[in-house]
Amino acid sequence: MNDLTASIEVHDVAVRYNNGHTALHDVSFHLQGGTTCALVGVNGGGKSTLFKSIMGLIKPQQGQIRLCGLPISHALKQNLVAYVPQSEEVDWLFPVSVYDVVMMGRYGYMNFLRIPKQLDKEKVQAAMQRVDIAHLADRQISELSGGQKKRVFLARALAQQSKIILLDEPFTGVDVKTEKAIMDLLDALRHEGHLILISTHNLGTVPEFCDQVVMINRTVLAAGSTESTFTQQNLERVFGGVLRQIRLAGKDLHDDEDARAITILADDEIPAVFYGHKDCDAPFGCVCKQNGDVSHCQDSRHKRVANQNMNAQRQKTIEIKVEK
Ligand SMILES: Nc1ncnc2c1ncn2[C@@H]1O[C@H](COP(=O)(O)OP(=O)(O)OP(=O)(O)O)[C@@H](O)[C@H]1O
């Protein structure tokens, strides 16, 4: 890997789209390697715009971004930054195998003919093994589950050997096991000195594995260590609502008075949970059955809560929910 130290410096950035909408203004923060930072904020708060700006896909009208101390174009040329996109941004019908996608992470190391060398093949193999998809190498990406797709793009980022890894909503549509595997991998990468920036709506996971947080709503509202920044006051400021912590522990399900939030459906042996919030398009709440099926709802937060409750009925789990 390159000798440069991982860092992201965003200084006074403003982005205005062609339709005149200002998506970001006065955005400044600084992150160092060996960090996992959550980027959190409301829908439309500018997280993807910031990611695209860091990846050089959007040129800010104002301000500067430097990666590992270099201008973005130099950092990209040196493969210093990798991007794991949201699933929706990918054309999954494109006829390409898992191996081919992971090999794309090596393109930056090849000449224009893109003929892989032995080292490229070894890196691809190692990356696939690290995220446990080596057995899927020949599969078409259209044939993969949501969790497998995420792993493929993580493997591509690993094969790229970038110092900085950006992940857009890595936990959407993945089960609890995959979520844990992704968290463990990110933790290992952090300890290896990588800088990981994750956009997530899954607030409950933030204190678990992010040591830094940047909270944005068109501008940075708070940034710093998770301990000092991921506070009730800041969350309420960012999301403009009331934060509630809901404890799932058997029948003692929540610590507030709102009966709509969670209702126990089944008996003690087969715990099932109705859990809903106002951002979800699904009918209010979602059902957790014994087989882990969560119907009506694709929101990973709901699945996570439901699965956790199912797996450990008496285990206390805290899910953070913002009620508008
Ligand atoms: N190409 C575009 N042209 C015009 N406006 C855009 C464009 N892309 C995004 N926007 C607007 O910029 C704002 C920020 O969008 P962005 O996608 O960065 O938010 P986000 O925080 O990633 O949202 P979400 O959490 O919903 O993914 C939104 O108001 C959005 O409508």
Side-chain angles (χ1 to χ4, degrees), residues 162-313:
S162 300
K163 304 256 181 190
I164 301 168
I165 304 177
L166 309 180
L167 300 104
D168 211 346
E169 287 289 341
F171 304 120
T172 304
V174 302
D175 62 21
V176 177
K177 198 170 146 226
T178 304
E179 182 178 283
K180 173 83 173 63
I182 293 175
M183 279 190 202
D184 289 348
L185 173 66
L186 297 180
D187 209 40
L189 292 171
R190 171 161 73 95
H191 282 102
E192 290 167 19
H194 292 269
L195 168 49
I196 298 155
L197 182 61
I198 300 181
S199 148
T200 183
H201 288 290
N202 197 342
L203 298 176
T205 59
V206 171
E208 272 178 58
F209 78 110
C210 295
D211 55 325
Q212 299 275 319
V213 184
V214 172
M215 300 169 123
I216 63 167
N217 191 359
R218 296 170 72 183
T219 193
V220 176
L221 297 179
S225 72
T226 306
E227 210 178 5
S228 64
T229 311
F230 201 68
T231 59
Q232 173 161 3
Q233 194 184 20
N234 281 337
L235 281 160
E236 291 184 1
R237 211 168 130 226
V238 172
F239 291 94
V242 177
L243 182 80
R244 301 190 309 181
Q245 292 196 330
I246 297 166
R247 287 180 184 80
L248 301 179
K251 285 190 169 176
D252 180 20
L253 275 177
H254 60 98
D255 62 355
D256 62 51
E257 299 298 319
D258 186 353
R260 293 174 313 158
I262 294 179
T263 313
I264 304 177
L265 277 187
D267 58 30
D268 282 354
E269 300 306 313
I270 310 172
V273 169
F274 261 35
Y275 179 82
H277 73 105
K278 290 177 179 172
D279 291 334
C280 181
D281 292 328
F284 198 76
C286 52
V287 183
C288 170
K289 300 209 176 92
Q290 196 176 22
N291 65 7
D293 174 39
V294 182
S295 54
H296 305 310
C297 180
Q298 291 304 311
D299 189 313
S300 64
R301 284 168 295 189
H302 297 173
K303 287 188 176 176
R304 187 159 173 275
V305 170
N307 285 339
Q308 280 175 338
N309 193 52
M310 184 184 65
N311 292 340
Q313 190 190 359

Side-chain angles (χ1 to χ4, degrees), residues 94-107 110 114 116 124 128 133 136-141 152-153 155-156 159:
F94 193 74
V96 64
S97 71
V98 166
Y99 182 87
D100 294 335
V101 172
V102 181
M103 185 59 84
M104 287 172 193
R106 302 297 302 171
Y107 280 2
M110 300 177 194
R114 287 188 179 158
V124 166
M128 289 195 302
I133 54 163
L136 301 172
D138 296 328
R139 283 260 204 102
Q140 293 293 302
I141 53 166
V152 172
F153 278 88
R156 185 183 70 168

